Amino acid sequence: MAVCFQSQLKPTTFFPSSTNTSPKTSSVLSFQFRCNFSLPTLAVTEPEPVLLSVESFAPATIANLGPGFDFMGCAVEGLGDYVSVTVDPSVHPGQISISDISGALPSVSKLSKNPLWNCAGISALAVMKMLNIRSVGLSLSLRKGLPLGSGLGSSAASAAAAAVAVNELFGSKLSAEELVLAGLESESKVSGYHADNIAPAIMGGFVLIRSYDPLELMRLRLPEKTNLHFVLVSPEFEAPTKKMRAALPAEIGMSHHVWNCSQAGALVASILEGDLVGMGKAMSNDKIVEPTRVPLIPGMESVKKAAIEAGAFGCTISGAGPTAVAVTDSEERGKEIGERMVEAFFKEGNLKAVAMVKALDRVGARAVAKVPR
């Protein structure tokens, strides 16, 4: 589920528009909360808004990429969430109100309008705190393009789009890395403090998280002419991130540790060299995380086998699942691979599924519409 939970870094002051703030009722009410997260204030002086409103887009992401659990991910073109942020005199200064949440998928009804329980709201408030925004109130609307619990970084897309929109509204004062920190405030409420979705959602392309304390991010630049295509097959099955993380082993053997390190190294080298065959091979050879999650997704083992037999260079689980991701160098071949994977989900897992062939998003979250003051 992509609904965020209240931060352990609780705000010291907040002003709801209703006294009832329980999760069961917050989805039908409009809440306003003072921006008061325990994040560092990076702006010495409070910046003025340079725009009246901003609409931003953030792409879907593939986390882990097999052996890169919690430290690697990439952005996917053509799928994602939209967030609009507007200077709103009716909102108390220093506060934010979520005015609308929409989307074609029924799962959006699960999302709360309480900013402290919503990924976009938490991220937007974190950016306001970093910018020291105290004199301006904002309203936010979220348009979901990604399903919840899909393994495509749904919560990260909302958080990334919100962070970029607020930053753009005040003149883009924060760097991409600082926006990732704001997004991490949101992600940590969903499944833990890991940036393999939020970093590529904001920065685009492939991103490796070298360190979390302090946060250090490395862009892995795939050669421009590399004809990379991801085959994404999403079954009608929800895999909550917390449940999928709970299945992970508490300890691993040295041989598996060495193996996964070698595969992660091969994955990085293949990306930098544009070697899709090597990339697919490395993605397919995780011996730690994937084996514990495959049994929780009906038919996944057969789906992976079907992808390889159809000509994919490699196949693994996207993020926590249930989406399966395969790699190829041809859009047409990708469609064929997707068909075989859909058939396997239905035959072996009794699940209907949808296949898409998508390219790498090299840009990341960005403003798509602006209204001047």
Side-chain angles (χ1 to χ4, degrees), residues 97-308:
S97 171
I98 298 181
S99 58
D100 182 63
I101 301 175
S102 62
L105 299 167
S107 58
V108 299
S109 63
K110 298 179 181 181
L111 297 175
S112 173
K113 287 185 178 179
N114 178 336
L116 294 182
W117 290 77
N118 182 285
C119 295
I122 294 172
S123 182
L125 287 168
V127 173
M128 291 178 73
K129 170 64 178 177
M130 292 168 124
L131 290 174
N132 195 29
I133 303 302
R134 300 179 179 180
S135 303
V136 177
L138 304 177
S139 62
L140 180 152
S141 65
L142 168 63
R143 179 156 53 97
K144 290 293 297 180
L146 293 173
L148 281 60
S150 60
L152 292 172
S154 178
S155 60
S158 297
V164 167
V166 174
N167 189 45
E168 189 84 19
L169 195 73
F170 291 96
S172 300
K173 304 294 184 182
L174 301 181
S175 67
E177 289 76 9
E178 289 164 344
L179 293 178
V180 171
L181 279 174
L184 272 170
E185 177 70 15
S186 171
E187 285 288 85
S188 64
K189 313 311 176 295
V190 180
S191 56
Y193 197 80
H194 53 91
D196 47 349
N197 284 117
I198 190 66
I202 287 175
M203 301 168 67
F206 289 91
V207 179
L208 184 149
I209 297 87
R210 182 178 183 178
S211 167
Y212 281 97
D213 186 18
L215 183 67
E216 293 183 32
L217 307 173
M218 299 181 68
R219 297 175 186 263
L220 305 178
R221 301 191 184 279
L222 182 77
E224 289 287 341
K225 295 182 179 180
T226 308
N227 198 25
L228 171 62
H229 293 277
F230 295 110
V231 184
L232 300 168
V233 181
S234 300
E236 293 182 353
F237 180 82
E238 188 171 327
T241 302
K242 287 193 174 183
K243 176 181 178 181
M244 300 302 281
R245 292 184 78 87
L248 300 178
E251 297 180 353
I252 60 171
M254 180 61 74
S255 63
H256 283 181
H257 165 70
V258 173
W259 173 266
N260 263 44
C261 286
S262 68
Q263 298 309 306
L267 178 60
V268 171
S270 298
I271 291 169
L272 296 176
E273 294 175 357
D275 175 9
L276 299 185
V277 174
M279 176 182 169
K281 184 177 180 181
M283 283 176 56
S284 300
N285 279 292
D286 169 30
K287 288 188 177 182
I288 296 175
V289 175
E290 183 181 304
T292 67
R293 289 177 166 176
V294 163
L296 302 179
I297 305 172
M300 179 60 76
E301 185 175 355
S302 297
V303 169
K304 181 174 180 176
K305 182 179 178 182
I308 301 298

Side-chain angles (χ1 to χ4, degrees), residues 44-56:
V44 177
T45 59
E46 179 182 356
E48 293 286 333
V50 298
L51 299 165
L52 178 62
S53 69
V54 175
E55 182 181 27
S56 61

